[in-house]
Amino acid sequence: MSDWFEKIINKIQALNSKIDNYNTDTVIQSLPSVAYVNRAKKLIEKGQYKDALEILTEAESLPQEDALVYKYKGIIYDRLFRFDDAVQAYKKSANLNKNDKLIWKNLGYSLLNTGLYDEADEAFENADKITPTNSEVFLGWGMSLMKQQKYPEAHEKFVLSSKYNRYNSNALFLAAVMEIKLKMYDDAESKLQFLANVAPNEGNSYEYAKLKFILKDYDGAIFYAQKSLDFNRNMLPCYLLLGEIYRLKNEENLSLENYKKAEELSLITVNLYIEWAFSLIKFDKYAEASEKIMKAEEIDCANSEVKLIKAFLSVIKGDIFENREIIEKILKENSEAPLAHRALGILNCLDGNYKEGIHYFKSALKLEPTEVINYYYIAKAYMHLADNSNAKEYFEMSIKENPSHIKTYIDYSKFLISIDDYANANRKLRKALRQAEDNIEILNMLFYVNYILVKDRLCEYNIKETLDFAQKIKSIDAESFKYPDKLAELAEMLNKLQEKE
């Protein structure tokens, strides 16, 4: 159960347990047990629950059973979070006095806390018959239905709850949560916007951030996620959401920083390491992703996402056979796992089945359009099929959708060089160099491409610029320069040009 949901239940339970006016109890005051009950009430007010329970237990030994005795025992058990005991006490009280206007509601909340949702529904239904239009009854009823994933029915109850008490912010909030589930985004936004202005807290700020994320308003999502953390820095879902948003925005440092903050706060769950691994995979940090998924495995080795990521990372290393079986099994269990489709795409390409690989990459994209790395894999598969037109198209799409992915620029440039399109390769490599100015592979390729181009555009400036690439490589690592013969040739060409002048 989510922390915010537990807090709401506990808050409502505490409110329902307060006794504001004992004279409203509809039981004959002349019964002998009333004296015991009244003494217990005073002790409850002082928080002396143990003493109050002892008095009420004494009252149980009287000849005539009194519904109030069990009702107040239930109230004490609620406050002590002994919900199983509270359920038994409330049930006994309800059997003795079926028309008590509070007992069925209290029983409903205690059943909700013990996970007995069908019984909770019945208790709230009885409460509604006795006290129609009670906002708290509909709120609890909605919670029970929500826990059963009966979202349309739960939404209806939350709307009724807020209708009968327009100040019931919990009902308004949970109605918005259901509207997000039911994709009623406009209705949800109006409610969450109102709550953000009049009753902001970590729960509704986070839900508003989540809605903004769904609507692809990433800046708005970041704002409200940060606002939620201002209220409660231990809101793990906010760190996970921020990590995912920055992952989609290709902001590597900010994405990884949020997972690190959560770990430093000891907000350790399997989901933290799963999401962390997803982001590390996005940024091609496979060794670090393996470390995180090992930590996730220590927490929950049976988790299907943990198994999938672990298998995917093994596939990236080239381990084909054992992991194919694992991934195919996961895909049978969950046909909508994009990473499984991508993994099978890679496996098929490793086997030389490029058409089948393309099929899986494209299906991964359909399932999750934000997984733009699949454009890169599709481009490489078409390249191996010698389908130059499609290879170019998907390399261009990869650059457009994932402009910080250096591998796309490098492999695209290699492909362009292979088809003698040196001018285009030169343009792509220069764009890549702006993002990775000390990348030896890019600098070597730029030297080679410009060595070819300089022969068609022979001038001192072009030669010097090409020589500069060689000089930069040597300044970083002299052993990494690949073309000493071509360097000597260019130096000789430059000397001849200068001699002519």
Side-chain angles (χ1 to χ4, degrees):
M1 187 183 293
S2 300
D3 288 343
W4 59 262
F5 190 64
E6 283 185 352
K7 287 178 182 178
I8 290 171
I9 291 178
N10 292 336
K11 180 180 176 183
I12 294 164
Q13 196 72 27
L15 289 170
N16 287 335
S17 297
K18 289 182 179 178
I19 310 302
D20 298 319
N21 186 352
Y22 298 126
N23 291 327
T24 60
D25 294 320
T26 58
V27 175
I28 299 171
Q29 297 294 307
S30 61
L31 289 173
S33 59
V34 168
Y36 289 91
V37 171
N38 286 336
R39 285 170 58 200
K41 288 176 183 178
K42 292 175 182 178
L43 292 169
I44 291 170
E45 284 184 303
K46 295 175 184 178
Q48 297 175 6
Y49 303 130
K50 182 180 178 182
D51 293 337
L53 274 175
E54 288 177 0
I55 290 171
L56 292 170
T57 301
E58 287 179 36
E60 286 184 70
S61 63
L62 295 172
Q64 187 170 351
E65 290 186 310
D66 185 350
L68 283 179
V69 171
Y70 298 101
K71 175 179 177 178
Y72 285 104
K73 284 191 79 172
I75 288 169
I76 293 169
Y77 289 138
D78 271 339
R79 294 190 182 186
L80 295 173
F81 302 101
R82 292 169 56 180
F83 299 119
D84 288 327
D85 292 328
V87 166
Q88 296 308 314
Y90 286 137
K91 282 184 175 180
K92 183 77 172 177
S93 182
N95 286 333
L96 294 169
N97 182 14
K98 291 182 171 55
N99 295 314
D100 187 304
K101 63 183 182 181
L102 294 176
I103 194 66
W104 290 107
K105 179 181 70 175
N106 287 6
L107 175 58
Y109 278 105
S110 293
L111 288 163
L112 176 59
N113 276 307
T114 54
L116 299 171
Y117 304 124
D118 289 337
E119 290 186 48
D121 291 346
E122 292 177 13
F124 288 123
E125 187 175 3
N126 285 336
D128 183 47
K129 290 174 183 175
I130 298 167
T131 55
T133 71
N134 184 292
S135 179
E136 296 303 319
V137 168
F138 284 111
L139 179 60
W141 202 347
M143 287 179 175
S144 178
L145 291 163
M146 181 171 74
K147 294 300 292 182
Q148 298 171 73
Q149 299 184 354
K150 296 178 180 179
Y151 301 132
E153 296 92 333
H155 175 251
E156 178 188 355
K157 302 304 179 191
F158 292 137
V159 169
L160 285 170
S161 179
S162 60
K163 174 185 175 183
Y164 296 130
N165 180 2
R166 60 193 181 97
Y167 299 107
N168 192 333
S169 59
N170 290 323
L172 200 65
F173 168 65
L174 291 172
V177 172
M178 291 300 93
E179 284 162 358
I180 293 174
K181 286 279 187 186
L182 298 169
K183 299 184 179 181
M184 300 165 62
Y185 298 135
D186 290 342
D187 292 336
E189 181 153 30
S190 66
K191 291 179 177 65
L192 290 170
Q193 189 175 51
F194 172 78
L195 289 170
N197 291 325
V198 301
N201 58 40
E202 72 264 33
N204 56 45
S205 296
Y206 166 68
E207 288 298 327
Y208 202 7
K210 194 165 72 173
L211 176 60
K212 291 286 187 183
F213 174 75
I214 291 169
L215 298 174
K216 294 186 170 51
D217 177 3
Y218 296 140
D219 291 337
I222 291 167
F223 174 81
Y224 283 102
Q226 293 289 3
K227 192 173 182 180
S228 178
L229 290 172
D230 289 341
F231 287 109
N232 180 3
R233 70 176 188 147
N234 293 316
M235 282 285 287
L236 175 60
C238 290
Y239 293 108
L240 301 185
L241 181 62
L242 287 167
E244 184 175 3
I245 292 169
Y246 287 121
R247 179 168 80 220
L248 293 173
K249 288 167 69 71
N250 292 311
E251 297 186 38
E252 179 180 338
N253 291 336
L254 289 172
S255 177
L256 302 181
E257 180 183 296
N258 277 282
Y259 304 119
K260 188 176 180 182
K261 282 181 183 176
E263 186 180 50
E264 287 171 351
L265 289 168
S266 299
L267 305 176
I268 307 300
T269 68
V270 68
N271 284 338
L272 169 63
Y273 291 117
I274 286 171
E275 290 301 320
W276 203 339
F278 273 130
S279 286
L280 288 164
I281 289 169
K282 165 69 182 287
F283 300 115
D284 296 332
K285 294 182 179 292
Y286 300 121
E288 291 177 47
S290 293
E291 291 174 10
K292 303 308 174 190
I293 215 61
M294 283 176 64
K295 290 185 177 182
E297 195 174 24
E298 289 172 7
I299 299 169
D300 184 1
C301 62
N303 185 290
S304 60
E305 285 192 295
V306 171
K307 290 179 180 178
L308 173 57
I309 295 171
K310 187 179 177 183
F312 175 82
L313 290 167
S314 294
V315 169
I316 290 294
K317 294 176 185 176
D319 187 356
I320 298 175
F321 301 105
E322 180 182 348
N323 292 290
R324 180 187 289 277
E325 185 178 337
I326 293 169
I327 292 164
E328 287 177 345
K329 183 180 177 182
I330 290 169
L331 203 57
K332 284 180 182 178
E333 295 169 357
N334 180 12
S335 62
E336 297 188 356
L339 193 64
H341 286 263
R342 194 201 313 177
L344 283 177
I346 294 170
L347 283 169
N348 277 284
C349 288
L350 289 172
D351 285 343
N353 299 324
Y354 297 110
K355 288 184 179 179
E356 191 69 8
I358 289 167
H359 163 74
Y360 279 109
F361 295 135
K362 288 185 175 180
S363 63
L365 265 173
K366 285 180 183 177
L367 289 167
E368 184 48 77
T370 61
E371 293 295 320
V372 293
I373 188 65
N374 288 291
Y375 290 118
Y376 164 76
Y377 287 113
I378 293 169
K380 289 200 69 174
Y382 276 124
M383 184 180 73
H384 284 289
L385 289 170
D387 187 340
N388 294 351
S389 177
N390 274 313
K392 276 188 176 182
E393 179 184 348
Y394 279 93
F395 272 127
E396 290 291 345
M397 288 172 75
S398 181
I399 286 174
K400 179 183 175 184
E401 298 296 334
N402 196 7
S404 62
H405 191 242
I406 297 300
K407 280 187 177 179
T408 297
Y409 290 99
I410 291 173
D411 288 347
Y412 190 11
S413 299
K414 287 179 180 177
F415 166 68
L416 292 168
I417 290 168
S418 73
I419 59 174
D420 299 331
D421 190 351
Y422 298 107
N424 201 6
N426 184 38
R427 286 191 289 272
K428 303 304 178 191
L429 289 166
R430 287 176 186 270
K431 283 184 179 180
L433 193 65
R434 294 189 197 114
Q435 298 182 60
E437 59 184 20
D438 293 329
N439 187 296
I440 297 291
E441 186 172 13
I442 293 171
L443 288 165
N444 266 307
M445 291 174 70
L446 271 168
F447 174 85
Y448 176 77
V449 167
N450 281 274
Y451 162 79
I452 300 295
L453 291 173
V454 80
K455 294 182 176 182
D456 294 329
R457 296 174 293 178
L458 192 62
C459 70
E460 186 174 335
Y461 174 83
N462 288 343
I463 295 174
K464 284 183 175 180
E465 184 186 36
T466 307
L467 292 173
D468 284 343
F469 291 129
Q471 187 58 40
K472 184 166 185 179
I473 294 167
K474 289 185 174 184
S475 69
I476 298 169
D477 181 4
E479 300 298 319
S480 297
F481 181 61
K482 293 182 177 180
Y483 306 102
D485 294 343
K486 292 178 173 56
L487 176 62
E489 184 182 344
L490 284 176
E492 185 179 346
M493 290 167 65
L494 180 62
N495 285 335
K496 287 181 180 180
L497 279 175
Q498 290 174 337
E499 285 174 3
K500 286 182 181 179
E501 294 176 359

